[in-house]
Amino acid sequence: MTLAVVVFACLLVFATAARAEPWPAEKANAWYAKQAWPVGCNFIPSSAINQLEMWQADTFDLPTIKRELGWAKSLGFNTVRVFLHDIAYEQDPKGFLERVDAFLAACDENGIKVMVVLFDSVWDPFPKAGKQRAPHPHVHNSGWVQGPGVPVLQNLKEHEARLKAYVQAVVTKYKASPAVLCWDIINEPDNRNGSSYGKWEPNNKGDLALELMKKAYGWAREVGPEQPITSGVWVGQWGDAGKLKAWEKWQLEQSDVISFHAYGDLKDLQTRVNNLKRYGRPILCTEYMARPIGSNFEPHLGWMKENKIGAYNWGFVNGKSQTIYPWDSWQKKYAGEPPVWFHDIFQTDGRAYREAEVEYIRKVTK
């Protein structure tokens, strides 16, 4: 073996190792300093019950997407968090990416950047391609699906090549796109959906999801995106680093920027943020706002702006996801609209649920 070959091999190993590491905190903070304060919502058009209905060719609804992104712009939102799905890519790779192109173009027209979520562990563990079921009346997220499904998580080796192809195709295509703000690798990886699908969930789901998460971080980093990578912690307040679960430790130590969920009152939000500051990185709250349990725009949104915490509320338009209903709608029967909307801001005709709330959001974002 020649010296040149040895040097090349060493450089290749070094480059691969470097790609596997998170950004230095200094790089992450320099990136964040160049961004406008990220404020927006988790977005799915009102005409889609789940990620597959949003992205499959037969039900991709660009007119509704464009109309509702316009409402997001009217609030001063400059970013949305959007969930993709591996099945939608697998069944139609070229068409899927063309639809993502169209979505990103619509976002760009409204001055909105996108946090892209690649995998999700929440709700129905058995996603299937094709026509999606109709909503169960008055039930919160009655048709949202996991991606990948639990059977895939339990047989990851068998599906690894397919999932890697999906991740790398998407990240490669958009790794330098100014329309993409951030890559969210997996949402709530250990969520066993106890209130809905718990009897079908594996007891070791967190460990299974961690295996996927480690691989997916590596697949994304091999491509070398210009945007940061993250995955949000969601249970607890994370005050004691020694008590973190294995997947939480990975999420917080291997992400370029820190992200988290917070559905409690302002004090709970503040405690979570203060505990996460120890990582010395930008912090994004990628889910909050559930009115009946004390998580509201006012004062939460104003506090996050003051403290430069990115803010994405859950829910936008009262549509087929039915997230105006609370989580307990899986156990408690609702015959009509709940007394207080759980999530969401607008009716399908663009009228605000609470005009004063919309005015507060605009006041904070302007």
Side-chain angles (χ1 to χ4, degrees):
M1 186 179 292
T2 66
L3 179 61
V5 171
V6 171
V7 170
F8 176 77
C10 291
L11 289 173
L12 185 61
V13 169
F14 177 78
T16 301
R19 284 196 300 268
E21 296 297 320
W23 287 0
E26 294 78 11
K27 179 178 178 179
N29 289 317
W31 168 84
Y32 197 57
K34 294 176 183 176
Q35 310 302 318
W37 169 57
V39 55
C41 63
N42 286 262
F43 180 88
I44 188 166
S46 59
S47 56
I49 193 171
N50 61 24
Q51 314 93 303
L52 290 172
E53 196 161 52
M54 178 175 180
W55 294 111
Q56 290 180 146
D58 290 347
T59 47
F60 182 66
D61 186 0
L62 191 58
T64 296
I65 287 170
K66 287 183 173 181
R67 180 172 64 253
E68 294 177 0
L69 286 173
W71 299 342
K73 179 181 179 180
S74 77
L75 292 178
F77 286 175
N78 58 30
T79 182
V80 291
R81 182 173 180 247
V82 172
F83 292 69
L84 306 187
H85 204 286
D86 59 284
I87 290 176
Y89 171 79
E90 181 187 18
Q91 66 178 347
D92 179 18
K94 182 174 181 291
F96 173 79
L97 292 174
E98 288 172 351
R99 290 186 285 279
V100 175
D101 285 343
F103 176 78
L104 292 177
C107 288
D108 190 56
E109 289 171 7
N110 288 285
I112 290 171
K113 293 188 176 186
V114 181
M115 174 181 281
V116 178
V117 187
L118 295 171
F119 295 118
D120 186 10
S121 286
V122 187
W123 303 112
D124 189 339
F126 306 109
K128 290 184 176 123
K131 183 176 174 59
Q132 302 298 295
R133 65 173 177 263
H136 298 311
H138 316 303
V139 177
H140 177 110
N141 259 331
S142 66
W144 195 273
V145 292
Q146 298 184 36
V150 163
V152 174
L153 270 186
Q154 293 176 311
N155 297 278
L156 187 57
K157 186 175 253 186
E158 179 183 339
H159 298 271
E160 184 173 332
R162 175 179 69 81
L163 296 176
K164 179 179 180 180
Y166 156 65
V167 170
Q168 294 199 325
V170 174
V171 178
T172 297
K173 184 167 177 61
Y174 304 110
K175 67 178 183 178
S177 172
V180 173
L181 180 72
C182 187
W183 299 99
D184 191 340
I185 298 296
I186 184 167
N187 180 58
E188 298 188 358
D190 59 313
N191 193 331
R192 295 188 62 247
N193 301 288
S195 65
S196 52
Y197 298 94
K199 65 181 179 180
W200 291 290
E201 295 277 13
N203 291 329
N204 64 335
K205 187 174 184 181
D207 296 321
L208 295 174
L210 176 59
E211 183 182 358
L212 171 62
M213 184 160 50
K214 287 180 175 180
K215 290 181 182 298
Y217 268 64
W219 299 334
R221 286 205 163 108
E222 280 179 12
V223 172
E226 295 179 7
Q227 310 94 340
I229 289 171
T230 192
S231 175
V233 289
W234 65 287
V235 177
Q237 295 181 323
W238 319 293
D240 186 345
K243 292 182 179 179
L244 295 175
K245 297 179 178 68
W247 45 90
E248 293 173 330
K249 185 176 173 65
W250 179 274
Q251 290 170 288
L252 293 171
E253 293 181 359
Q254 294 298 317
S255 292
D256 302 323
V257 298
I258 300 298
S259 60
F260 74 103
H261 298 172
Y263 284 111
D265 60 17
L266 181 62
K267 183 178 179 182
D268 174 72
L269 171 65
Q270 292 170 332
T271 300
R272 293 182 184 217
V273 168
N274 288 334
N275 288 338
L276 294 173
K277 284 181 177 178
R278 66 173 176 265
Y279 295 95
R281 293 175 177 273
I283 300 175
L284 308 172
C285 179
T286 51
E287 290 186 26
Y288 79 102
M289 213 289 286
R291 296 178 185 90
I293 57 175
S295 181
N296 287 283
F297 286 111
E298 186 175 7
H300 293 52
L301 186 63
W303 184 85
M304 283 190 276
K305 182 180 183 181
E306 290 171 9
N307 289 273
K308 300 180 180 178
I309 308 301
Y312 295 79
N313 68 278
W314 188 274
F316 189 54
V317 179
N318 174 21
K320 291 175 79 172
S321 65
Q322 299 182 160
T323 54
I324 68 168
Y325 294 93
W327 298 319
D328 72 5
S329 58
W330 282 85
Q331 295 86 37
K332 178 181 175 182
K333 187 174 178 60
Y334 286 79
E337 188 172 300
V340 177
W341 281 16
F342 200 69
H343 301 310
D344 297 334
I345 302 171
F346 289 111
Q347 300 278 12
T348 52
D349 62 3
R351 287 179 297 122
Y353 168 57
R354 288 178 172 173
E355 192 59 44
E357 190 175 67
V358 163
E359 290 306 313
Y360 172 77
I361 294 169
R362 288 176 177 147
K363 179 181 176 183
V364 173
T365 60
K366 77 174 184 180

